[in-house]
Amino acid sequence: ESIHPSYLKFAQQEILTDFKESIIRLHEDPLTENTMQEPALQVYELPDGTKIDMGSEKGKIVEQLFSNIPEVSGFSGFHRMIADAITKADMDIRKDLFANIVVSGGNTLIPGFLERLQRQLPEVASP
């Protein structure tokens, strides 16, 4: 039997979403090589029975959301992108903008994302 490409893409997206929601977690504090402890090994089983062992990789993957990535021009982390956008707004409304940030969908659903954003945004926000 042949699988239609659109269904295959849908199924792959569902697997990635399930993987992200069940394995990936963002720590409240940034992880570095020195602070990253060897996490407990977690196993994720794909629908075909293939098992993926995840150790420290699960922390390294998601840390990229709050890191400067040289390969991606202009990306220096979600917290910096938000702060940069707000500081380009009129000075009179910046306080309101910082107080009313809404995130939704995609990677913002990773457990720990909101807590990390709330912790790191004040560190890069201009007074």
Side-chain angles (χ1 to χ4, degrees):
E1 288 179 48
S2 157
I3 298 174
H4 194 276
S6 65
Y7 179 76
L8 181 61
K9 184 176 180 177
F10 168 77
Q12 290 170 337
Q13 288 292 94
E14 288 297 306
I15 292 168
L16 286 172
T17 298
D18 183 60
F19 173 79
K20 181 171 60 173
E21 292 173 356
S22 61
I23 298 288
I24 304 296
R25 169 132 182 71
L26 192 60
H27 296 274
E28 191 171 324
D29 293 315
L31 295 178
T32 63
E33 291 297 324
N34 295 336
T35 62
M36 187 179 295
Q37 298 174 349
E38 192 60 36
L41 188 67
Q42 283 187 278
V43 179
Y44 182 80
E45 187 172 343
L46 296 170
D48 68 356
T50 303
K51 294 182 180 180
I52 301 173
D53 298 332
M54 295 295 292
S56 61
E57 302 88 3
K58 64 185 176 188
K60 292 176 183 175
I61 292 169
V62 76
E63 278 299 313
Q64 299 301 308
L65 298 174
F66 287 87
S67 302
N68 184 22
I69 304 174
E71 297 84 19
V72 181
S73 177
F75 184 80
S76 57
F78 276 109
H79 60 305
R80 285 191 178 91
M81 289 175 57
I82 293 169
D84 289 347
I86 291 174
T87 56
K88 290 178 182 173
D90 186 69
M91 181 74 90
D92 296 336
I93 64 169
R94 288 182 191 172
K95 184 176 178 180
D96 290 333
L97 292 175
F98 275 113
N100 292 290
I101 296 170
V102 176
V103 296
S104 66
N107 290 330
T108 66
L109 297 175
I110 293 173
F113 181 90
L114 185 57
E115 293 82 1
R116 178 73 168 273
L117 182 62
Q118 289 172 332
R119 183 177 182 94
Q120 284 200 256
L121 193 55
E123 294 173 9
V124 296
S126 299

